[in-house]
Amino acid sequence: MKIHNFSAGPSILPDSTIKNSAEAVLNFAGTGLSILEVSHRSKEFVAVMDDAIALVKELLDVPAGYEVVFVGGGASTQFCMVPFNLLAKKAAYLNTGAWAAKAIKEAKGFGEVVEVASSKEAVYNYIPKGYEVPSDADYFHITSNNTIYGTEIRKDLDVSVPLVADMSSDIFSRPVDVSKYNIIYAGAQKNLAPSGVTIAIVKEEALGKVDRYIPTMLDYRTHIQSGSMFNTPPVLPVYSALQTLKWLKELGGVAAMEKINIEKAGLLYDEIDRNKLFKCTVEAVEDRSIMNVCFIMNDEYKELEKDFFDYATSKGMSGIKGHRSVGGFRASIYNAMPKSSIQALIDAMKEFEAKH
Ligand SMILES: *Cc1c(COP(=O)(O)O)cnc(C)c1O
C-alpha cells in the first residue's frame, strides 16, 4: 500500500531529492567517496554550496544588496539571531502562534518588543488585522505560515518598517517580494531538505547598526563573508536542498508552484467544507494556509474522531493527527505533496462519510 506522508515536519520531499541524496551518500559527484566523508572545502562540495545559494536567489528573485546564507541551529536559533543583529531599540512582533511567541520571547532579551496584535485567545485560529505597527520600530516580525494552526499570511504586508519573516513552513510555496524584508529565514525541514540547515536571506544594509558584541557564529556577516563556509556546514542537508531547488526550477519555479499549491489546497478545503462530518478550524477563508490544512469533526460527530483516524491510517494516510493544542487533524501538503495523495485523503473522507 502506498503511504501518503502528511507529516508537518520533517516532511515529504520530492522523490528526486531522496534518490539523489541517497546516491550522493554512496558516491558523491563521481568521486567514488560518500558525501559524508569528503571535505566541505573540496571543489565538488563548494560547487554544491555555490549552486544552492545561486538557485535560492534565482527562484525567489532576490534583489541586489541581499545575501543568502545556509546556517545551522534551525529556525529556533534565528529567533535570537534576528534581534541580536537587528534590534537596536525597539521591534514589533505579530503573535500568530507558538513559533511567533518563541520569537517574541527571545527578542525581549535584546530591547523593547511591541506585540502589535495576537490571536492567542482563539488558539490562533485567525490572522489578526487592523493593528498598528510603530513607525520607529527597527523591524516588524511575522510568521508567514503558522504550521500548527493552519493560518497563513500569503501576501507581503505593506507596513512603514522593514519586515522580518519566519517562512519555515511556506518558503518557496509562492513568489515573495524580497525587497520588503530585512531578513527572511526558514528551517529546511518543512519544504526543502532534511533538518539541520536553515536558510536566511539578509539585506546587507540592515546589518551593523547595533552596538552590542555579536558572537561570531551568530553574526550574519560571518556567514555572508565566508559564503556559508565559516565552519563545516551540514553537507548532506545542503546537498538535498540543492536537489529540491533544482526540482522546483524544473517545475517552473515558485509562481508555477503557487498555482499548484492553491489548486491542491482548494480540493481539500472544498471537501472539508462539503463533508458533513468535518469542519475547518480556520473559518476565515483568506487566512487558510495552503501548506497545513487543519480540520476537526463537526460537533455532532465528535465521537468519530478516533474511528476516522484509524480508517484514514488503514488507507495509507500518515501524519494526519492534529497538533495537541488544536486537536483533530492536520494535513500538511507542502510543495512535494502530489495531488494524488490529497485525492486519496479526500476519497477516505468521502468513504467514511458514506458509512455514517
Ligand atoms: C518548524 C518551525 C519552526 C522551528 O524550526 P526548527 O528548525 O526546528 O528550529 C519555527 N517556525 C516555524 C513557522 C516552524 O514551522
Side-chain angles (χ1 to χ4, degrees):
M1 180 176 64
K2 174 160 171 62
I3 302 297
H4 305 280
N5 183 7
F6 290 95
S7 180
S11 41
I12 189 165
L13 292 169
D15 286 341
S16 57
T17 297
I18 308 249
K19 281 200 191 103
N20 296 348
S21 301
E23 215 161 90
V25 167
L26 297 173
N27 181 2
F28 171 48
T31 56
L33 298 169
S34 169
I35 189 167
L36 305 180
E37 58 180 3
V38 300
S39 169
H40 60 293
R41 310 269 176 212
S42 66
K43 71 174 187 324
E44 288 85 5
F45 186 77
V46 169
V48 168
M49 182 62 91
D50 291 349
D51 288 354
I53 290 172
L55 260 182
V56 171
K57 287 183 178 173
E58 182 184 333
L59 287 166
L60 288 180
D61 206 4
V62 174
Y66 285 77
E67 270 309 329
V68 171
V69 295
F70 283 83
V71 293
S76 298
T77 299
Q78 296 300 305
F79 296 162
C80 82
M81 214 164 143
V82 163
F84 227 137
N85 284 264
L86 297 191
L87 205 174
K89 276 186 83 176
K90 183 196 280 191
Y93 278 70
L94 185 62
N95 185 1
T96 53
W99 297 118
K102 285 183 176 161
I104 290 168
K105 173 178 181 282
E106 293 304 306
K108 283 180 175 164
F110 297 91
E112 185 187 346
V113 172
V114 180
E115 187 181 298
V116 300
S118 168
S119 47
K120 187 174 181 193
E121 86 291 345
V123 201
Y124 297 116
N125 68 3
Y126 68 99
I127 300 284
K129 290 161 199 95
Y131 48 79
E132 228 166 279
V133 177
S135 58
D136 59 345
D138 297 315
Y139 61 86
F140 177 43
H141 181 283
I142 58 168
T143 311
S144 56
N145 185 66
N146 298 282
T147 323
I148 295 173
Y149 317 93
T151 63
E152 188 174 15
I153 302 168
R154 273 178 42 216
K155 280 198 205 106
D156 304 304
L157 298 176
D158 283 309
V159 289
S160 57
V161 302
L163 294 166
V164 170
D166 175 358
M167 294 195 183
S168 291
S169 52
D170 67 349
I171 194 160
F172 303 117
S173 69
R174 64 170 173 93
V176 172
D177 180 358
V178 175
S179 71
K180 288 187 172 175
Y181 298 81
N182 274 354
I183 293 182
I184 292 168
Y185 62 88
Q189 69 273 20
K190 312 282 166 50
N191 228 354
L192 189 67
S195 62
V197 73
T198 304
I199 287 186
I201 303 168
V202 184
K203 186 173 193 174
E204 285 184 280
E205 206 180 70
L207 301 175
K209 297 194 172 156
V210 295
D211 292 333
R212 67 178 68 89
Y213 169 74
I214 305 174
T216 307
M217 278 296 285
L218 298 182
D219 190 330
Y220 290 107
R221 291 171 296 189
T222 302
H223 303 287
I224 291 172
Q225 284 154 17
S226 63
S228 297
M229 289 285 209
F230 177 75
N231 70 325
T232 319
V235 290
L236 186 61
V238 172
Y239 184 83
S240 300
L242 175 60
Q243 308 314 306
T244 304
L245 294 165
K246 285 180 173 171
W247 168 85
L248 188 52
K249 180 173 172 175
E250 196 132 299
L251 206 127
V254 287
M257 193 74 250
E258 182 183 37
K259 257 193 204 151
I260 297 169
N261 285 332
I262 288 173
E263 192 204 340
K264 286 189 307 191
L267 290 171
L268 187 50
Y269 280 118
D270 284 350
E271 174 59 19
I272 297 165
D273 289 340
R274 185 209 61 77
N275 193 307
K276 69 172 192 238
L277 302 180
F278 303 103
K279 69 176 175 198
C280 277
T281 53
V282 180
E283 277 174 30
V285 172
E286 73 274 14
D287 292 347
R288 288 178 176 177
S289 169
I290 58 172
M291 297 279 101
N292 310 96
V293 177
C294 295
F295 56 104
I296 53 178
M297 307 306 298
N298 255 322
D299 294 341
E300 51 285 35
Y301 298 103
K302 269 264 171 296
E303 76 284 359
L304 291 177
E305 183 170 312
K306 188 175 178 302
D307 286 355
F308 177 69
F309 180 79
D310 291 343
Y311 183 74
T313 303
S314 77
K315 294 284 172 177
M317 308 307 142
S318 172
I320 59 162
K321 210 179 190 67
H323 190 270
R324 62 188 181 282
S325 60
V326 179
F329 306 97
R330 169 175 53 174
S332 296
I333 52 171
Y334 298 115
N335 284 353
M337 172 64 65
K339 201 165 129 182
S340 54
S341 288
I342 292 171
Q343 198 53 56
L345 174 58
I346 291 171
D347 291 346
M349 292 165 79
K350 283 190 202 293
E351 288 155 20
F352 194 73
E353 182 190 31
K355 291 178 198 266
H356 296 278

